[in-house]
Amino acid sequence: MTDTMADTAAGAIPVRPVDGDGAPAGVVVDEALAQSLVEKARVEGLSLTGPGGLLGTLTKMVLEKALAAELSSHLGYEAHDPAGRDGGNSRNGTRTKTVVTEIGPVEIDVPRDRDGTFTPTIVAKRQRRLGGVEDLVVSLVAKGLTTGEVQAHLAEIYGTTVSRQQVSDITDRVIEGMEAWRARPLDAVYAVVFIDAIMVKIRDGQVANRPIYAAIGVTADGERDILGLWAGTGGEGAKHWQLVLTDLKNRGVADVLILVCDGLTGLPDAVAQVWPDTIVQTCIVHLLRNSFRYASKRDWPALARDLKPVYTAPTEAAALDRFADFSAIWEKKYPAIIRLWENAWAEFVPFLRFDAEIRTVIATTNAIESLNSRFRRSVKARGHFPNEQAALKHLYLTVTSLDPTGRGRAKWMIRWKAPLNAFDLAFDGRLTAGRK
């Protein structure tokens, strides 16, 4: 009888050997064996999941066999082998412990050695949860569930008891990775950087709204890169943004062709101190939205019709002429709209220098607004965070859960192919210098 046949006869599930690179090539489960197990469970009235269920029983069996194999490797001989009769370290019974798994709690017998030197790997000492459970908890928190909701979900679906503090402790393990991500080196050149902030409630002495700044960069190859998250202390001012931009520069960003924002006062001066050649562009969609806030809804269609020739003008001179026409119609009724456009004109006109391919992608901050929308949905149920780090951790988990299939990234790169060619021409090779 071969080793594999012997293992199967003993009840183990045969494992396919590793491939040429040394990586496991997967687990092969005999369908007839699986069917017989399911049929046996049905006949004996066993459930597949839950306490005493088939999956729990199989998990117990696999874990205990793996632990026994680890102990044999540690001692240097198999159970009942005469080689173990030399008076050295030997087996010393088992101790029972319960581990939380993705299918519920499983009680296992962990083997011990007389010297107390055995340190198992598959279920480590003091480990009470298998890795899959921790991944599940992180995923649920990233989707916006509170610690209490995660606790209730695991209890209802998996029959697993995990305290709120344990949920918090599990997610705290991502903090080291978060800090490494926030400090990682960045590309030297970005075609466009979109910046924005959201307000979250943080309890630091007393609950207050605090800004969390975010930035998304478009690389020279057209990839989307969330550059980082930063916690602020007050408003969404240009002074705070300068600290963010300086951090990006210190992490390797030497040049940004266009920075798109939502019309922050004083931001062009802050950007000029960090990247002197960067063009600051106000989000056109935000400018339109802010215009409509001053007007009655019944006038919105007419306002939109009369503003379109302004932001679609081929040149700045043509835009000024169209804006004069717009002012003649609407200044008397809505002077605030005229003042809004006059104050934003310096950050609006760079948009008019570019052809349609570039205008299409810099007209709006939708890229980062989409990210902020996910952030808001995720934090909505939380009410407030105990401190700044907790808020950053939660938003970082949201970042890690974005686009799990990669389809969003692929669509993004397709959309940016034509604009990147236009950027190469418009910026005299500055983008090409940043290509990997």
Side-chain angles (χ1 to χ4, degrees), residues 335-401:
I337 296 179
I338 307 304
R339 186 167 59 251
L340 173 69
W341 278 78
E342 289 175 344
N343 292 337
W345 195 261
E347 285 77 47
F348 159 67
V349 292
F351 178 79
L352 303 175
R353 305 178 194 175
F354 305 109
D355 56 22
E357 285 84 1
I358 294 180
R359 289 190 185 193
T360 299
V361 294
I362 67 172
T364 175
T365 55
N366 279 350
I368 199 162
E369 283 193 8
S370 175
L371 174 64
N372 283 343
S373 176
R374 293 290 294 273
F375 285 162
R376 291 188 183 95
R377 187 165 66 235
S378 181
V379 304
K380 185 176 181 181
R382 299 300 302 265
H384 65 271
F385 295 93
N387 51 53
E388 178 182 293
Q389 187 181 66
L392 288 171
K393 178 188 74 174
H394 187 85
L395 296 181
Y396 170 70
L397 288 174
T398 303
V399 169
T400 62
S401 70

Side-chain angles (χ1 to χ4, degrees), residues 294-311:
Y294 292 107
S296 170
K297 281 190 176 181
R298 64 185 179 186
D299 289 331
W300 285 6
L303 281 168
R305 181 194 63 228
D306 293 341
L307 275 172
K308 186 173 182 180
V310 179
Y311 62 83

Side-chain angles (χ1 to χ4, degrees), residues 199-235:
M199 304 301 290
V200 299
K201 295 184 184 298
I202 296 176
R203 187 184 70 244
D204 192 1
Q206 62 182 16
V207 177
N209 283 326
R210 294 267 302 277
I212 301 292
Y213 305 107
I216 292 180
V218 181
T219 71
D221 297 313
E223 295 182 1
R224 177 180 56 189
D225 188 6
I226 300 176
L227 305 180
L229 297 168
W230 301 263
T233 57

